Amino acid sequence: MGSGPSLDERDYVRGGATQTAVKILVVGHFAVGKTTFIGAISEIAPLSTEETMTRAAEAVDDLKGVDGKTTTTVAMDFGRLTISDQVVLYLFGTPGQQRFVQMWEDMARGALGALVLVDPERLADSFAVIDLIEQYGLDYAIAVNRFDGSPLREEQALREALDLLDDTPVVTCDARDERSSAQALITLVRHLQERAH
């Protein structure tokens, strides 16, 4: 695997600040944009475990609808986003393939919530992801990643297709865009705050 940049604690903790660290999972099915999302929003150089896909993966991973994908996450992605003087989000991106699901349990420990990225053209691929997040007892928000050329879907149709509770937030984002991605995370954080009160 390629190695990321060498970082020390000062890269992750602001000196002299009293902050609350919040662990957030960024989850979703294979090739939905989790690595792109964390890369677009992280205020530090993100840790990424992207590796070139091999022919062996073709027999295991469903590549339907993901033409041109040449790399995949094999462990996790990690980034940081400070949203106020008091709160810093530590973002953990999970691999999307079914064969990596066992890692999710460890990554879910200590997480306050999850942002579930969804491809509007592959909604059925999100069912297993949402089931896992609910199994781990995490509150979550849905972020519909708008891919180039994908049609805009009505929120109510998405809610029905994903069988969501009425209070589960649904937002649209572009995982490549920092502002759009930040808004999706802010929506999740507000939801978590509401659930805590």
Side-chain angles (χ1 to χ4, degrees):
M1 279 193 289
S3 60
S6 175
L7 300 171
D8 65 26
E9 184 178 302
R10 289 170 298 195
D11 292 313
Y12 295 97
V13 180
R14 293 179 189 260
T18 302
Q19 293 180 324
T20 300
V22 178
K23 180 179 182 182
I24 298 291
L25 297 186
V26 177
V27 302
H29 56 75
F30 176 63
V32 74
K34 300 174 297 291
T35 299
T36 301
F37 182 95
I38 291 176
I41 200 167
S42 180
E43 64 195 20
I44 60 170
L47 168 69
S48 179
T49 58
E50 285 279 293
E51 291 296 325
T52 302
M53 294 178 64
T54 65
R55 289 211 178 268
E58 291 176 9
V60 180
D61 299 327
D62 182 4
L63 301 178
K64 182 180 63 189
V66 292
D67 297 335
K69 184 161 178 66
T70 59
T71 61
T72 188
T73 301
V74 296
M76 69 171 197
D77 297 310
F78 176 79
R80 181 187 76 190
L81 179 65
T82 302
I83 60 172
S84 73
D85 289 341
Q86 292 80 34
V87 180
V88 60
L89 303 181
Y90 289 92
L91 309 172
F92 290 79
T94 61
Q97 300 95 314
Q98 188 66 30
R99 59 194 159 108
F100 292 116
V101 164
Q102 291 180 340
M103 298 172 62
W104 285 40
E105 185 172 353
D106 289 333
M107 292 179 73
R109 284 193 189 105
L112 194 60
L115 186 68
V116 181
L117 285 181
V118 169
D119 179 344
E121 295 301 303
R122 297 184 293 148
L123 291 178
D125 292 349
S126 299
F127 298 158
V129 173
I130 293 171
D131 286 346
L132 270 175
I133 292 303
E134 290 177 347
Q135 177 184 326
Y136 297 139
L138 293 174
D139 288 319
Y140 62 93
I142 300 291
V144 181
N145 189 10
R146 289 294 311 279
F147 290 85
D148 290 333
S150 65
L152 185 61
R153 296 187 182 247
E154 292 290 328
E155 180 181 327
Q156 191 56 38
L158 288 166
R159 286 183 169 286
E160 290 173 10
L162 296 171
D163 194 25
L164 300 176
L165 296 175
D166 291 341
D167 67 342
T168 302
V170 175
V171 296
T172 300
C173 75
D174 180 340
R176 301 165 297 185
D177 181 71
E178 179 182 5
R179 179 169 290 194
S180 176
S181 298
Q183 190 57 54
L185 279 173
I186 289 168
T187 298
L188 171 63
V189 169
R190 286 183 178 146
H191 176 63
L192 297 175
Q193 289 173 327
E194 289 169 8
R195 301 281 288 177
H197 291 94

